[in-house]
Amino acid sequence: MTPAETDVIPVPDPVRLTVQGGGSFPVREVYCIGRNYADHAREMGHDPDREPPFFFRKDREHLVPGGGDVPYPPATTDLHYEVELVVALGAGGAHMDTAQAEAAIWGYAAGIDLTRRDLQGQAKDMRRPWDMGKGFAGSGPVGALVPAGVAGLTEATPIRLTCDGAEVQTGTIEQMIWPVAEAIAYLSGLVALHPGDLIFTGTPAGVGPVARGQTLVAEVGGLPALTVTMT
Ligand code: MN
């Protein structure tokens, strides 16, 4: 008997990212690093001294591969953009060191961690989980993936976001408190990682609200730009 004959409800299609140059990347889990750029930590009222990295999650069904029109989510009047470098893993493991973590990276994409800042703020105030502030339909637009070997990322790689053409976020990858490989290695000590996992690696300063009808463009170095219009 095949699984299709025993499933008692429909199974959703896998979520896949487009790979530049051909192919697709099926997504498994989606992890996000909090406060990984010092200037953003400060703008959110925190001291960015090198405390251990921390993580939260989105569901893969929350991703918007390729961007495009994204419905403004319910239950918020303060939806914020956060431009992020998204890392895709081609290999997994637990308790990886930084060299193993680096080797596990399959590719990179530009992404936006859309955040219901009002719900996140209420959760922080009440010492409750962030889940409803961070994980909701449409909360994870991700551009096309580029294999690590051809992405050409360096420490000086710029990361920026425009809102209706105005630059609102800008920085460089080297401003990360926890470089990508270190963050992945740390995360792998908390949970086993797998091929297909994505990691949103945090946002530089300049986060702010986006309204219905506005268009965001996220750019990370030479990775394919990601354009999102809130509808
Ligand atoms: Mn973020």
Side-chain angles (χ1 to χ4, degrees), residues 114-213:
L114 287 173
T115 300
R116 293 192 287 204
R117 193 72 75 201
D118 40 6
L119 296 191
Q120 185 198 27
Q122 291 163 19
K124 287 179 181 177
D125 289 345
M126 301 179 79
R127 306 183 72 167
R128 288 177 178 172
W130 290 10
D131 298 42
M132 293 298 110
K134 287 292 193 177
F136 51 88
S139 64
V142 183
L145 260 185
V146 178
V150 296
L153 294 189
T154 71
E155 287 190 341
T157 293
I159 178 168
R160 66 192 292 266
L161 184 133
T162 62
C163 182
D164 282 351
E167 184 173 87
V168 287
Q169 288 194 271
T170 183
T172 61
I173 298 303
E174 68 186 339
Q175 293 168 340
M176 286 187 194
I177 296 170
W178 292 89
V180 167
E182 286 186 47
I184 294 168
Y186 192 94
L187 177 60
S188 77
L190 297 171
V191 289
L193 297 174
H194 299 92
D197 289 351
L198 298 186
I199 298 142
F200 283 65
T201 58
T203 195
V207 300
V210 56
R212 283 183 187 81

Side-chain angles (χ1 to χ4, degrees), residues 34-54 124 177-178:
R35 291 178 211 135
N36 200 26
Y37 288 75
D39 287 349
H40 173 63
R42 286 190 200 98
E43 78 179 347
M44 299 303 287
H46 296 275
D47 179 349
D49 280 347
R50 230 176 126 84
E51 60 182 14
F54 69 94
K124 287 179 181 177
I177 296 170
W178 292 89

Side-chain angles (χ1 to χ4, degrees), residues 33 56 82 84 113 134 202-203:
I33 309 174
F56 57 90
E82 297 186 357
E84 312 213 355
D113 168 14
K134 287 292 193 177
T203 195

